[in-house]
Amino acid sequence: DVVMTQSPLSLPVTLGQPASISCRSSQSLLHSDGNTYLNWFQQRPGQSPRRLIYKVSDRDSGVPDRFSGSGSGTDFTLKISRVEAEDVGVYYCMQATHWPLWTFGQGTKVEIK
Amino acid sequence: EVQLLESGGGLVQPGGSLRLSCAASGFTFSSYVMSWVRQAPGKGLEWVSAISGSGGSTYYADSVKGRFTISRDNSKNTLYLQMNSLRPEDTAVYYCAMGYCTRTGCFWGQGTLVTVSS
């Protein structure tokens, strides 16, 4: 199975400041079709997970442009350019390259300082 | 608008059974693979099972293989998860999810809580 490792696991941030979350996979997420299927999910308190980013850097519909994704191969990053109060929650990376066996990072809890 | 509505969760004793349902609307259900993902209280996300659009292919995590059965009724736009021989470690919120989540259109339901306890 592909193991996804996130860091940090806890991220206190100041409102208006940037935030960055790292995700590493135990093997390459490059699919045979040439795409890399790395997703980022946001889970706000008491809510179900919502996908923000797919294929490393494509934003889902309605996702603010302060969220961006980057990376390739086994190293990926989610960045929030200016953290807002509504961004509090847990963020998960998830690989879909090796469907059906989706695997997830441990989650990074973003909170306001 | 895509909607996924899970139901069927509840409290069950160890060794017991439960069947979860996920009612889907807003998309052509039979055209999409569907999955179940669970989240133990205060923990992360774990993929549980997946099924092809026709229902002819099914997949399971090792942790549930032989105990859980995924199925679907495309005439009713409904996904199921039959859970047998339940263990305390199966306690979690169970989410249904549509698609491969590789491109646009990756939606999850609001989840249903399963508690396995005596």
Side-chain angles (χ1 to χ4, degrees), chain A residues 22-75:
Chain A
S22 171
C23 175
R24 289 186 173 176
S25 58
S26 61
Q27 54 185 275
S28 175
L29 300 185
L30 179 63
H31 194 275
S32 57
D33 67 5
N35 292 300
T36 298
Y37 297 116
L38 186 282
N39 298 315
W40 288 97
F41 285 80
Q42 174 194 61
Q43 187 174 31
R44 290 171 171 155
Q47 295 186 14
S48 61
R50 162 204 179 198
R51 194 180 67 176
L52 302 175
I53 301 284
Y54 63 98
K55 283 201 304 175
V56 180
S57 58
D58 290 344
R59 273 189 304 276
D60 275 284
S61 177
V63 174
D65 60 8
R66 64 179 181 275
F67 289 94
S68 64
S70 63
S72 65
T74 61
D75 288 339

Side-chain angles (χ1 to χ4, degrees), chain B residues 61-81:
Chain B
D62 288 344
S63 57
V64 306
K65 201 172 294 182
R67 300 187 299 121
F68 290 11
T69 302
I70 191 172
S71 63
R72 64 192 298 161
D73 186 336
N74 287 343
S75 69
K76 296 182 178 179
N77 288 351
T78 302
L79 174 72
Y80 302 100
L81 186 67

